[in-house]
Amino acid sequence: MSLLEIENLAIALPAGADRPFAVENVTFSLHKGEILCIVGESGSGKSMSANAVMGLLPEGVTPAEGRIMFHGRDILHLSEENRRDIRGKSISMIFQEPLSALNPLMRVGAQICEVFEAHNLLTPQERMRRAVELLTEVGLPEPEKAVRAYPFQLSGGQRQRVMIAMALALEPEILIADEPTTALDVTTQAQILSLIEDLRRKHEMAVIFITHDFGVVADIADRVIVMQTGEIVEQGPAEDVLLRPTHPYTRSLIAAIPGMKERPPEAEGKAGSQESPVILSVNGLNKTFSTGGGLFKQARVVHAVNDLTFDLHLGETIGIVGESGSGKSTAGRCIIRLIDPDCGTVRLSDVELTKLSGQSLRMARSKAQMIFQDPFSSLNPRARIGRILTEGPIAHGVPRVQAMERARELLSLVGLDPSAVDRFPHEFSGGQRQRIGIARALALDPDVIIADEAVSALDVSIQAQVLDLLADLKARLNLSMLFVTHDLRVAAQICDRIMVMRRGEVVEMGPTAQVLGQPNHEYTRSLLAAIPGRHHEQAMRLAVASE
Amino acid sequence: MLEGFKRFTSNKGAAIGLFILLIVILTAVLGPLIYSDSPWRMVQRPFLPPFTVDGLPLGTDALGRDVMAGLVHGARVSLLVGLVSTVVALVIGVPIGAAAGYFGGLVDDALMRFTEFFQTIPSFALAIVLLAIFQPSLFYVILAIAVVSWPPVARLVRGEVLSLRSREYVEAATLSGQSTFQIITRQILPNALPPIIVLASLMVATAILLESSLSFLGLGDPNVMSWGYMIGTARTVIRTAWWLSFIPGVAILLTVLAMNLIGEGLNDALNPRLSRKSR
């Protein structure tokens, strides 16, 4: 007998939204002790269905049809009061961003105690004891001290553990996890996933796990539901859905996962561009940030980039890989002088960028351009695409008419319609905006492009398209690229060489196949081991091989 | 932008405000053509109550001047002072705030201490001192009001610029070789515009009030008829001829209310997400 039954659920969106229903005809059940993964791209309605279970629908969004049965009771239409009883006690939830889900001004222990307090359970002393127990259970180091810590004193992974401890406080029967590892590094993600796995086994808890990452699904799911634009397109046991997907959408999603595939040999041949001339040469680059500090207090010094030295050859792509805080983005920005490095030199062809300033820096910088992470904040919302693409060339003295001509060419080069010049950024989707960002970077005919997490904010299928575009442009225009990313799988697809950074230092650098195939450094190995979905990939390979 | 205008007019308060303001503007523009005589001219015996003599709908004041003519001419002065002093305050405040927010560090410190210097002095007292030093002409009244009302603009612009300058499109503009001036004026300021517009509409209202208060104290330009001056001269006879203070008072109230309603409507129209949340 199933624990939770969702029947025919439909949730209406307010008038004027892009579709009348956020989700429609959603029917599924959840069994005791199982992990059910709901997968889909952004806007597929996967979070909305989970929020309906908790009664956390945003204002203006209302359930239109269907039932959610929990212990023989329809909880979709409960009053707020009755719902409060279920929340936390029977069903609890953890969120994507652990920093914003915790109260920044309350000690961690007090926040866990609050859960008991809300349900009028235990005495204050017992509550504190339970808090320590819970923190021990979720594997927080030094739980007695941790209860007295404020959220900002904990790392992202530790905060997520605190959230899980809060969710577990009343031993709920169902845990809903809404993208709980998306904001975390791979190694931390792997730890959190195994924690959730352990806890559900110990408490026989059912878990609804919402994610966009098929790798994560492959690692933990018992059953999988695939959603597309508000409807369930496929559901079934994990092995079936992942290895023998029946719906074309599922197939395309799985195909779009950047795998640690071997690159085609012809690309490998081209990558032997070590003989081609050096285009960018970085030598002994250093950057330290110091925060805080005062008369009586030592300032906290962070070595964001420590003695970075490498050469980028013409037509080559180097991946800079690392977890958050490893200094990879700072390195990219120091090279291009968006941040001034403390010492070291950067030579771009024959110009020493680190020595320039003012007008000469402005002129020289046109040879190194950047593609940014967030397609929403990287385009000026009040400028038409034509203006965005021509401002750079015009600043460098190209006549307006000619610059506009070039803008149209660039748009068709990145696979957009040239008529886009007259439109505003908000009229485009995330993937299209990223294409515009790429066109802008190309507008000044740069020698080197620095891509800072250029595909991290995109859905997998869009990510694959943009990566294809970049690979294609690279081959056609013989671009040299620095590709900053946290995702080893993405790096594997596009990079000739990979540089692994940790805490500002390069721990390993070498050809992609070597770094990923036979890593020398222990840290690289741990990064590789933490990538979700590795077992699945082997299974896939076996399945293909046996056919 | 068109969508924003629709949202603006669908707000009932804002529509009423706009309607009142239009009437005031029409009066200010066309009124003096109808009442082409000087409002200072004596037309009848003093202290005529409203609606007693044909042709003098609002009666006469202590010196036998037409109250209606004064009101109409006063509208022009009030609006002029409100608008021009706000523009001048923006001209001072926006560059200071933008420079402080964009360059940061020492520039920011210096400019903000300078701004705080003005903020710590009560603005009305400063305006009185300024007018006591200069001659009380319309030019100096406007200048004095602008000088005391720019600091909030500078602070607002600084905050907006601070949050916008770290956007990736600003970094992209830096990389594409645009000059600092171009980045501030073309990339950053247009995006900081909505809150500035809202603040400006409210500043017009405060400026009108400030001008009235100054005229009430006899520090306004003695050559122009303004609402504040009318109330100021009528205060000695408030027990016998209360309407002489009441009528220009209502005019000030309605105009300021209209500006506030418009400001609020603009705020809702330009920050649709914010307004939906607050409801």
Side-chain angles (χ1 to χ4, degrees):
Chain A
M1 141 118 207
S2 53
L3 195 54
L4 186 78
E5 296 259 10
I6 296 187
E7 292 164 23
N8 236 339
L9 180 70
I11 298 171
L13 286 172
D18 62 334
R19 54 174 197 251
F21 293 100
V23 298
E24 219 177 338
N25 284 330
V26 167
T27 304
F28 65 86
S29 56
L30 181 69
H31 303 284
K32 199 171 163 73
E34 91 173 329
I35 296 187
L36 173 70
C37 275
I38 305 183
V39 208
E41 299 192 279
S42 46
S44 61
K46 55 190 193 301
S47 293
M48 213 52 114
S49 0
N51 284 345
V53 175
M54 285 299 271
L56 287 177
L57 290 175
E59 213 164 302
V61 178
T62 45
E65 231 182 281
R67 296 194 300 173
I68 300 180
M69 300 302 288
F70 177 66
H71 283 306
R73 197 148 73 119
D74 182 9
I75 57 170
L76 185 59
H77 300 104
L78 277 187
S79 70
E80 194 59 24
E81 235 165 280
N82 293 334
R83 236 186 220 138
R84 234 174 270 151
D85 214 37
I86 293 176
R87 285 184 193 150
K89 214 172 187 171
S90 314
I91 308 176
S92 60
M93 189 160 181
I94 52 179
F95 301 90
Q96 174 173 356
E97 186 46 76
L99 182 56
S100 54
L102 289 171
N103 184 342
L105 293 179
M106 256 173 102
R107 290 180 202 275
V108 161
Q111 299 198 39
I112 299 176
C113 291
E114 237 186 4
V115 180
F116 297 109
E117 214 178 310
H119 291 271
N120 272 327
L121 295 170
L122 309 182
T123 64
Q125 288 81 10
E126 285 173 333
R127 283 175 196 156
M128 215 19 133
R129 224 193 45 242
R130 271 295 283 154
V132 176
E133 279 172 27
L134 283 163
L135 290 181
T136 319
E137 187 174 3
V138 296
L140 217 63
E142 299 185 83
E144 286 86 12
K145 273 192 191 163
V147 287
R148 302 201 36 82
Y150 286 100
F152 73 89
Q153 293 167 316
L154 304 175
S155 71
Q158 290 173 334
R159 284 183 209 132
Q160 198 57 284
R161 282 170 196 269
V162 171
M163 279 301 299
I164 294 174
M166 279 171 76
L168 288 179
L170 300 175
E171 310 207 329
E173 291 164 79
I174 300 174
L175 176 70
I176 300 176
D178 189 358
E179 304 250 10
T181 57
T182 308
L184 304 175
D185 286 325
V186 266
T187 46
T188 327
Q189 165 169 306
Q191 292 163 8
I192 297 286
L193 289 181
S194 71
L195 172 67
I196 291 179
E197 177 87 60
D198 279 355
L199 290 173
R200 77 103 182 216
R201 210 162 280 148
K202 223 157 94 192
H203 297 277
E204 286 219 309
M205 191 171 59
V207 180
I208 299 180
F209 197 102
I210 299 164
T211 181
H212 65 276
D213 189 339
F214 262 102
V216 173
V217 176
D219 277 3
I220 64 164
D222 297 325
R223 266 190 324 129
V224 182
I225 288 177
V226 183
M227 288 190 74
Q228 183 189 20
T229 54
E231 284 180 61
I232 294 181
V233 295
E234 182 158 2
Q235 61 174 312
E239 306 89 80
D240 284 357
V241 174
L242 290 170
L243 295 177
R244 293 173 289 278
T246 53
H247 196 275
Y249 179 69
T250 319
R251 254 182 249 152
S252 73
L253 274 184
I254 290 177
I257 307 172
M260 306 287 276
K261 318 164 190 155
E262 299 295 316
R263 283 148 47 89
E266 67 267 33
E268 218 45 70
K270 256 194 162 179
S273 48
Q274 296 282 8
E275 297 93 45
S276 62
V278 172
I279 189 129
L280 177 80
S281 166
V282 177
N283 207 335
L285 200 69
N286 270 292
K287 178 74 195 174
T288 50
F289 291 110
S290 53
T291 47
L295 271 183
F296 307 103
K297 202 170 56 174
Q298 194 112 39
R300 205 170 73 100
V301 177
V302 179
H303 293 273
V305 181
N306 206 346
D307 252 342
L308 182 65
T309 303
F310 69 92
D311 285 338
L312 177 68
H313 297 263
L314 185 67
E316 189 190 24
T317 299
I318 295 184
I320 306 182
V321 183
E323 300 190 278
S324 54
S326 61
K328 56 187 192 305
S329 283
T330 313
R333 285 181 152 73
C334 275
I335 289 166
I336 218 162
R337 290 278 310 272
L338 276 174
I339 300 175
D340 280 326
D342 296 337
C343 64
T345 55
V346 177
R347 286 182 77 81
L348 181 61
S349 355
D350 45 4
V351 191
E352 200 163 322
L353 274 182
T354 29
K355 285 221 179 97
L356 300 177
S357 66
Q359 184 66 14
S360 47
L361 173 64
R362 268 206 279 283
M363 287 302 135
R365 223 161 18 190
S366 70
K367 291 289 152 209
Q369 290 293 304
M370 198 154 178
I371 302 169
F372 295 89
Q373 170 173 10
D374 183 356
F376 289 88
S377 89
S378 67
L379 303 177
N380 185 346
R382 280 178 190 259
R384 286 175 204 279
I385 305 306
R387 200 186 113 191
I388 289 172
L389 294 181
T390 54
E391 270 172 337
I394 289 173
H396 285 273
V398 177
R400 183 174 298 271
V401 183
Q402 210 177 314
M404 211 48 152
E405 197 61 37
R406 177 92 178 110
R408 286 176 210 276
E409 278 171 35
L410 285 168
L411 282 174
S412 40
L413 186 68
V414 297
L416 290 175
D417 196 272
S419 68
V421 286
D422 295 321
R423 290 157 67 188
F424 283 98
H426 66 82
E427 297 172 53
F428 296 92
S429 69
Q432 289 173 322
R433 282 158 176 251
Q434 205 57 316
R435 284 169 192 267
I436 296 168
I438 293 170
R440 174 176 60 193
L442 293 173
L444 289 165
D445 294 318
D447 294 335
V448 175
I449 284 190
I450 298 179
D452 185 9
E453 301 271 12
V455 294
S456 312
L458 305 173
D459 278 330
V460 267
S461 56
I462 311 290
Q463 192 175 44
Q465 289 168 13
V466 172
L467 279 176
D468 283 348
L469 171 68
L470 279 175
D472 175 49
L473 289 174
K474 198 180 92 169
R476 269 206 279 171
L477 310 174
N478 202 21
L479 288 174
S480 320
M481 196 152 40
L482 277 181
F483 198 90
V484 177
T485 181
H486 69 277
D487 193 336
L488 274 167
R489 289 175 295 184
V490 170
Q493 285 207 322
I494 196 161
C495 300
D496 303 314
R497 283 195 289 162
I498 285 185
M499 190 157 84
V500 182
M501 282 185 84
R502 182 180 62 172
R503 284 186 231 122
E505 283 183 62
V506 177
V507 297
E508 179 161 7
M509 179 159 182
T512 304
Q514 186 201 318
V515 172
L516 301 180
Q518 298 105 33
N520 282 324
H521 198 277
E522 177 204 344
Y523 179 66
T524 316
R525 278 196 288 271
S526 70
L527 275 183
L528 283 168
I531 295 177
R534 277 166 56 88
H535 305 296
H536 165 63
E537 224 169 278
Q538 280 161 4
M540 281 277 275
R541 229 171 273 155
L542 285 178
V544 172
S546 65
E547 261 167 29
Chain B
M1 220 51 204
L2 192 74
E3 206 182 305
F5 184 73
K6 261 187 217 145
R7 268 205 303 272
F8 176 74
T9 43
S10 67
N11 181 334
K12 216 182 255 171
I16 295 172
L18 197 63
F19 179 70
I20 300 176
L21 185 71
L22 278 178
I23 294 179
V24 178
I25 289 176
L26 273 182
T27 318
V29 173
L30 302 176
L33 302 178
I34 301 161
Y35 288 87
S36 52
D37 285 342
S38 163
W40 301 92
R41 205 169 61 92
M42 283 171 253
V43 290
Q44 253 285 4
R45 67 184 175 81
F47 296 119
L48 273 179
F51 313 116
T52 45
V53 177
D54 280 349
L56 294 173
L58 295 180
T60 57
D61 69 0
L63 292 175
R65 296 174 295 209
D66 185 353
V67 174
M68 188 66 193
L71 211 57
V72 165
H73 283 261
R76 184 174 269 197
V77 174
S78 288
L79 278 189
L80 188 76
V81 170
L83 291 175
V84 177
S85 63
T86 300
V87 168
V88 176
L90 289 178
V91 167
I92 305 173
V94 171
I96 289 184
Y102 188 82
F103 295 109
L106 273 182
V107 181
D108 183 25
D109 276 345
L111 289 174
M112 279 304 108
R113 292 308 84 78
F114 178 67
T115 311
E116 274 160 19
F117 171 74
F118 278 87
Q119 281 194 304
T120 45
I121 307 171
S123 56
F124 192 57
L126 181 60
I128 291 176
V129 171
L130 285 174
L131 281 178
I133 297 170
F134 304 117
Q135 313 101 354
S137 72
L138 200 57
F139 175 77
Y140 285 110
V141 170
I142 289 174
L143 194 71
I145 294 176
V147 163
V148 300
S149 46
W150 67 266
V153 183
R155 294 219 83 107
L156 175 82
V157 173
R158 172 179 174 268
E160 287 293 315
V161 171
L162 262 182
S163 80
L164 290 172
R165 64 165 298 201
S166 56
R167 294 284 164 91
E168 286 175 340
Y169 61 82
V170 178
E171 286 188 331
T174 318
L175 285 182
S176 73
Q178 296 176 43
S179 65
T180 308
F181 179 75
Q182 221 177 348
I183 290 172
I184 294 178
T185 52
R186 289 180 58 95
Q187 314 288 348
I188 297 181
L189 282 183
N191 288 296
L193 215 51
I196 299 179
I197 291 175
V198 173
L199 180 69
S201 73
L202 298 176
M203 275 170 61
V204 173
T206 353
I208 291 173
L209 275 181
L210 210 53
E211 190 275 334
S212 306
S213 320
L214 289 170
S215 302
F216 176 82
L217 293 178
L219 288 166
D221 189 335
N223 299 315
V224 293
M225 180 64 79
S226 84
W227 294 339
Y229 170 81
M230 289 167 77
I231 299 176
T233 51
R235 77 176 190 279
T236 48
V237 294
I238 191 152
R239 275 185 301 166
T240 49
W242 56 269
W243 61 88
L244 289 182
S245 334
F246 178 77
I247 292 166
V250 167
I252 294 173
L253 175 82
L254 284 178
T255 316
V256 171
L257 181 71
M259 289 311 303
N260 276 308
L261 286 173
I262 289 171
E264 203 164 290
L266 278 175
N267 194 17
D268 287 359
L270 297 173
N271 292 330
R273 228 178 325 145
L274 205 75
S275 64
R276 224 175 288 153
K277 229 184 255 168
S278 66
R279 250 167 237 158

